[in-house]
Amino acid sequence: MERRLSVATHWGSYIAVVESGRLVRIEPRGDDPAPSPIGPGMVAAADDSARVLRPAVRKGWLDGLPRVRDTARGADAFVEVSWDDAITLVSDELRRVRARHGDGAVFGGSYGWASAGAFHGAQAQLHRFLALGGGYTDSRNTYSTAALEVILPHVIGGHPWSYQSRMPMWDEIAENCELVVAFGGLALKNSQVNPGGLARHRTRDLQRRCREAGVRFVNVSPVRSDAAGFLDAQWLPVVPNTDTAAMLGIAHTMLVNGWHDEDFLRRCCVGFDRFASYVLGEIDGVVKDAAWAAGITGIGRDTITGLARRLTEQRSLIMVNYAVQRADHGEQPIWMSVVLAAMAGSMGRSGCGWGAGYATMDATGVARGRAVVAAFPGVPNPVADFIPVARIADTLLHPGRTIDYDGRRLTLPELRLVYWCGGNPFHHHQDLHRLARAWQTPDTVVVHEAWWNTTAKFADIVLPVATSLERDDFAAGFCDPHLVAMPKVREPAGESRTDHRIFTDLASRLGYGKEFTQSRSEIEWVRHLYEQTRAGLGDGGVLPGFDEFWRSSAGVELPPLEGPFPGSFEALRSDPQRFPLPTPSGRIEIFSEEIDSFGYDDCAGHPMWFEPAEWLRGGLSERFPLHLISNQPAARLHSQYDNGGHSLGTKIRGREPVTLNPSDAAVRGIESGMVVRVHNDRGSCLAGAVLSDDVMPGVVQLPTGAWWDPVRPGLSGTLDRHGNPNVLTADRPCSRLSQGPSALSALVDVEPYTGPLPDVRAFTPPEVEH
């Protein structure tokens, strides 16, 4: 008998077809105009050989080998144990670490998207469990946008993510804007996803509507395909990590020609005079004109001058994407893009001005927000300590060291137990060989995982978890106005359990089970959160009752949010006295007295050009002449479902594709389809060559997310067989202000691989004793 059930994921909503309890296929919904191909590929991974089916403990850890600097993590065999024994081992170890080293010795940062769902969010479950047990060291910010999250509250004020409701939406752009200049592009592939879940993909059609309305686009990026072909975008190939210099050259041109919006700068901004002195060379003797910018960026002087004129003569929007801030001095292009928009004359005008992260999710620019949806309740963390998210390896390697962060001095704690639930640090983090060394230092690493990926292989205790297809929940995406039911499609594989059940068992063993569950079952929690959401919308019958919602595969739509939204640039332009921004001055801070007071040598009081540690005009380029772009993949979300059918179908001889410009390939004797070795002093990996003039000469594009597959785990510098770019990227903070990652500041070289081709073992489980 065939059953058709609603499925919601980060990459869209689908219909799961189940026959006699077996998942047969996943189909796109008929009302999704641009369904992601990732969803159907989930079927192949549901029961593949990489599934973790029973609790497993690393053999060396179980045998009592030294638990500090035990170099066997990642290479050791595992022993399967019963659930009762696993719960005993984890609960006893939590008690031991807390008693001997304090609650702050437990790390529960557990960064990552995990899977969609209002109730089963892995981080929410973990953080509630650890907080009720005494607390934990947390992480702050995200790998995606750390520099942006720290700099924007200084420049425009408000919550780090409040800019989402303050920038123009796509429909407003179509109606009012004439010119969009996108620094870092606006790659449509990224809009497949939305954290928390997604009902229908809308970004593609909204972009198309803008072009049909006559909006012109300029793509300032090393990659032509960072703008959809139907946009007919003018492509300005830019030397990676030089966006700030390009913007400074445009700003200088505006300034010396008197094209800048003096009225807006005077009434609605502070510090422009000090910034202008820098641009004119009065501070350092270097005039930041179009010729100076051309020499750095590779964009022609006349093109820079022409772009400055177009931005000021037309109703314009300056976009900046997240990729440009995941680099050395990543705060600068974000800050400078706001300044450039303020100068151009369209800031605070409908559909124009400034915005960030367009097309990064099918949410940004689609809607300003949605009504509040109830979530699994958090508990205040008794431990005040935290670390910047990208400083996990530094923390493990150098406990007690002090670092700067946003005007504070932080002391890195000594972490003795790492509890990871959701996400994959061996995907997100840079310089994986360094992370592997750091990962040997804790006493214990506990991981919840559905598959034997790299994080599971580097754990001590692996607890098998159900996937989103194997539990009840409902989806509520970021800024997405739809709620979608997620009834369980199939039973959990093997002995897998939900994260919630695992934490319930652990909390019960530790004496606070009822406090953790509030005496509700999982489906009772799902019902409770939905009914809480429904009640929060008032008595108008906006949403149907839970039972009706649960039976429907179409989902329900929340009422739209009504403005005005705090921090509006339109309101600021109209009357900065009545509608100040939440900054110290109440205006856009072109010069920040607060940041200037920090005294950082890598982030001053106004945006500046800083030379990156690794870039194509630097000395290291003589040895490694290609700049690595490790951007987001098109075939999966981060590393999720790299073992899924869609991602596997994109591999070349089992390796992740790497794209080179034909001219760079020719001088290296590289042909399309060839397996190549990408390398620098930090590491090397194999990948399958793709030749395309969509990447500018001097640039190679290797997406993130291929499961790391080292030939000899634990041996620094060992070859990765599968194509993970983070064996090549630097674990270097982009600045003292944000301590964010600088993944996109990395130089490499590429050569044909001539040795015996090793088998890919990324999806092969470790040795497991049953």
Side-chain angles (χ1 to χ4, degrees):
M1 178 179 176
E2 180 180 283
R3 299 171 62 222
R4 299 175 65 83
L5 299 167
S6 172
V7 170
T9 71
H10 291 312
W11 40 90
S13 296
Y14 305 86
I15 299 296
V17 179
V18 179
E19 294 180 357
S20 303
R22 185 175 65 89
L23 176 63
V24 177
R25 64 185 180 276
I26 293 176
E27 301 175 348
R29 284 170 46 145
D31 59 353
D32 189 342
S36 168
I38 298 173
M42 296 167 66
V43 178
D47 292 304
D48 72 8
S49 62
R51 278 302 295 261
V52 183
L53 299 176
R54 283 166 286 280
V57 183
R58 187 169 65 84
K59 197 173 189 308
W61 189 92
L62 193 62
D63 291 345
L65 293 176
R67 297 181 182 178
V68 178
R69 302 193 180 277
D70 175 359
T71 58
R73 277 194 191 109
D76 208 349
F78 284 79
V79 178
E80 289 184 344
V81 299
S82 69
W83 267 110
D84 187 63
D85 286 345
I87 295 299
T88 298
L89 289 171
V90 175
S91 57
D92 285 354
E93 186 64 356
L94 279 166
R95 285 194 189 97
R96 184 191 71 82
V97 169
R98 291 185 188 279
R100 293 189 183 181
H101 306 289
D103 296 315
V106 176
F107 182 65
S110 195
Y111 172 82
W113 283 51
S115 55
F119 170 61
H120 283 290
Q123 286 189 67
Q125 296 281 341
L126 172 66
H127 290 173
R128 179 178 172 85
F129 165 72
L130 291 178
L132 287 171
Y136 60 98
T137 294
D138 199 0
S139 63
R140 186 165 294 182
N141 304 130
T142 67
Y143 280 90
S144 294
T145 57
L148 177 149
E149 291 174 62
V150 175
I151 192 65
L152 280 184
H154 290 285
V155 178
I156 62 173
H159 185 274
W161 289 90
S162 68
Y163 71 90
Q164 292 271 348
S165 65
R166 301 158 69 180
M167 63 192 215
M169 300 295 106
W170 284 114
D171 55 354
E172 298 168 332
I173 297 169
E175 184 175 351
N176 298 289
C177 190
E178 295 176 298
L179 174 67
V180 169
V181 178
F183 290 92
L186 56 162
L188 199 56
K189 65 178 173 60
N190 297 336
S191 69
Q192 294 180 88
V193 301
N194 183 328
L198 179 63
R200 300 167 189 85
H201 294 84
R202 295 174 287 171
T203 298
R204 184 199 64 182
D205 289 351
L206 288 167
Q207 283 192 8
R208 195 184 298 274
R209 190 182 307 164
C210 289
R211 184 66 194 91
E212 291 170 351
V215 182
R216 306 298 302 185
F217 288 82
V218 178
N219 172 28
V220 186
S221 169
V223 181
R224 188 203 315 265
S225 55
D226 275 348
F230 61 77
L231 292 178
D232 301 320
Q234 179 187 3
W235 182 33
L236 299 184
V238 62
V239 171
N241 292 186
T242 67
D243 302 85
T244 302
M247 294 184 218
L248 285 167
I250 296 169
H252 179 276
T253 304
M254 290 179 181
L255 180 61
V256 297
N257 287 286
W259 298 339
H260 56 297
D261 188 345
E262 292 188 56
D263 175 69
F264 184 83
L265 292 167
R266 175 178 49 80
R267 293 188 306 110
C268 302
C269 305
V270 294
F272 180 70
D273 54 342
R274 300 183 69 166
F275 169 75
S277 294
Y278 168 73
V279 171
L280 295 171
E282 296 170 358
I283 294 176
D284 57 6
V286 178
V287 178
K288 317 305 184 298
D289 59 13
W292 169 85
I296 292 171
T297 66
I299 301 174
R301 180 185 63 183
D302 291 345
T303 300
I304 291 172
T305 300
L307 196 54
R309 180 180 289 278
R310 293 174 67 192
L311 280 166
T312 53
E313 289 183 345
Q314 296 177 281
R315 298 190 304 273
S316 61
L317 170 63
I318 291 172
M319 295 179 173
V320 60
N321 218 332
Y322 297 159
V324 301
Q325 53 89 65
R326 290 195 296 270
D328 287 340
H329 314 289
E331 300 86 0
Q332 302 308 312
I334 300 298
W335 196 351
M336 186 60 218
S337 67
V338 176
V339 175
L340 192 60
M343 294 179 66
S346 294
M347 193 73 158
R349 303 189 191 280
S350 181
C352 304
W354 174 88
Y358 286 94
T360 301
M361 302 174 285
D362 197 276
T364 310
V366 175
R368 285 195 161 87
R370 59 155 166 76
V372 174
V373 174
F376 191 50
V379 174
N381 183 5
V383 174
D385 290 340
F386 68 90
I387 64 170
V389 68
R391 301 276 64 80
I392 177 62
D394 285 348
T395 303
L396 292 171
L397 290 169
H398 305 293
R401 176 176 290 183
T402 57
I403 63 171
D404 291 297
Y405 173 76
D406 199 14
R408 303 171 59 172
R409 294 287 290 171
L410 303 179
T411 299
L412 301 178
E414 183 175 21
L415 303 177
R416 306 301 289 259
L417 187 151
V418 172
Y419 206 130
W420 210 277
C421 176
N424 180 357
F426 287 89
H427 154 70
H428 286 291
H429 203 69
Q430 283 66 61
D431 194 347
L432 292 182
H433 296 298
R434 185 172 188 262
L435 179 64
R437 293 194 299 273
W439 215 248
Q440 309 299 334
T441 61
D443 295 2
T444 302
V445 177
V446 181
V447 167
H448 292 196
E449 251 305 333
W451 289 278
W452 282 108
N453 61 15
T454 315
T455 299
K457 292 174 182 176
F458 271 81
D460 298 312
I461 302 173
V462 182
L463 304 180
V465 293
T467 70
S468 59
L469 299 174
E470 299 166 346
R471 63 197 188 199
D472 293 319
D473 210 333
F474 68 91
F478 177 69
C479 289
D480 188 272
H482 302 90
L483 304 182
V484 181
M486 300 170 60
K488 182 165 62 175
V489 169
R490 48 170 276 167
E491 292 302 315
E495 297 179 15
S496 301
R497 298 179 177 180
T498 65
D499 294 307
H500 182 75
R501 182 179 172 188
I502 295 170
F503 289 130
T504 296
D505 293 343
L506 285 168
S508 297
R509 190 71 62 90
L510 292 166
Y512 54 92
K514 287 187 177 179
E515 193 174 0
F516 177 75
T517 66
Q518 295 185 2
S519 299
R520 291 189 182 93
S521 68
E522 293 185 13
I523 191 60
E524 287 171 342
W525 266 112
V526 174
R527 178 185 292 270
H528 172 70
L529 296 179
Y530 177 85
E531 293 294 356
Q532 265 195 321
T533 302
R534 185 170 177 246
L537 297 173
D539 300 325
V542 175
L543 298 182
F546 178 78
D547 292 333
E548 181 181 346
F549 163 71
W550 198 244
R551 289 191 298 267
S552 170
S553 62
V556 296
E557 188 165 354
L558 300 168
L561 289 185
E562 302 294 337
F565 294 90
S568 162
F569 300 123
E570 291 187 43
L572 177 73
R573 175 178 277 277
S574 69
D575 192 334
Q577 301 304 317
R578 286 185 60 201
F579 305 108
L581 299 183
T583 60
S585 66
R587 294 182 279 178
I588 295 171
E589 304 238 335
I590 294 175
F591 184 92
S592 168
E593 296 283 357
E594 185 173 36
I595 292 177
D596 189 58
S597 72
F598 299 160
Y600 296 154
D601 57 0
D602 55 5
C603 189
H606 57 74
M608 294 176 59
W609 160 250
F610 292 92
E611 183 175 338
E614 297 182 36
W615 69 305
L616 291 175
R617 302 284 197 263
L620 190 63
S621 64
E622 295 180 7
R623 293 179 54 221
F624 299 108
L626 300 174
H627 196 111
L628 174 66
I629 301 294
S630 53
N631 57 357
Q632 293 301 317
R636 56 188 172 268
L637 168 59
H638 299 313
S639 66
Q640 290 188 43
Y641 284 97
D642 190 31
N643 60 333
H646 183 56
S647 184
L648 291 175
T650 68
K651 307 288 183 179
I652 296 175
R653 300 180 70 181
R655 330 284 157 168
E656 189 68 16
V658 59
T659 305
L660 303 87
N661 186 277
S663 63
D664 292 321
V667 299
R668 292 168 173 78
I670 294 171
E671 299 177 357
S672 185
M674 181 181 289
V675 174
V676 296
R677 176 176 171 262
V678 189
H679 63 97
N680 60 19
D681 288 337
R682 286 180 289 270
S684 62
C685 66
L686 300 183
V690 175
L691 309 188
S692 173
D693 59 8
D694 269 3
V695 297
M696 64 183 285
V699 167
V700 295
Q701 181 185 26
L702 179 60
T704 61
W707 290 4
W708 186 34
D709 189 21
V711 170
R712 294 182 61 186
L715 178 64
S716 184
T718 190
L719 178 70
D720 168 41
R721 294 171 282 216
H722 192 208
N724 188 311
N726 279 328
V727 301
L728 306 161
T729 55
D731 187 9
R732 177 177 59 235
C734 62
S735 82
R736 293 160 67 190
L737 182 77
S738 70
Q739 294 288 340
S742 55
L744 290 171
S745 294
L747 296 178
V748 300
D749 205 353
V750 183
E751 63 186 10
Y753 184 72
T754 57
L757 200 59
D759 292 336
V760 173
R761 298 185 59 80
F763 310 116
T764 302
E767 179 186 343
V768 179
E769 297 180 10
H770 301 285

